[in-house]
Amino acid sequence: MDHIVTVQDVVTAFADFMEPTTAELDAIELESPLILAEVDLLDAHIVTLDRTPNELDARRIRRARNRVLVERRTLANRTFGVTGGAA
């Protein structure tokens, strides 16, 4: 006779290892301004999918793109330890 056993213990046995480490959480926190800027840029592009972009849409996309570039530069400077100047 075959016994049916649950796999609950096997599935949850590694649950502690599935959580992000402190270093991973710090990296996410460091990159979050860039992620949010990229989401804003994506939102600006999504708004224009069903219509021709007008002047306000173009301005919103341009500002969002500039914010992404600023956040990328800030992240690159912070990552490589540069304290001033452009990357």
Side-chain angles (χ1 to χ4, degrees):
M1 181 161 107
D2 292 329
H3 295 286
I4 299 173
V5 295
T6 62
V7 293
Q8 180 72 25
D9 293 333
V10 176
V11 171
T12 59
F14 299 105
D16 293 337
F17 300 111
M18 296 173 74
E19 295 296 321
T21 64
T22 304
E24 291 171 335
L25 289 174
D26 290 342
I28 292 170
E29 184 176 343
L30 186 68
E31 294 175 6
S32 65
L34 175 59
I35 294 168
L36 294 174
E38 289 174 340
V39 168
D40 288 344
L41 179 58
L42 183 61
D43 286 343
H45 281 293
I46 288 172
V47 167
T48 63
L49 285 178
D50 61 346
R51 66 172 192 249
T52 305
N54 57 25
E55 179 67 29
L56 187 62
D57 294 330
R59 188 180 311 157
R60 182 177 180 207
I61 291 170
R62 188 172 51 248
R63 287 181 181 170
R65 187 178 298 128
N66 288 338
R67 183 172 168 227
V68 168
L69 292 174
V70 166
E71 292 300 335
R72 283 182 182 168
R73 183 190 65 211
T74 303
L75 182 62
N77 286 342
R78 195 177 308 151
T79 301
F80 294 114
V82 177
T83 57

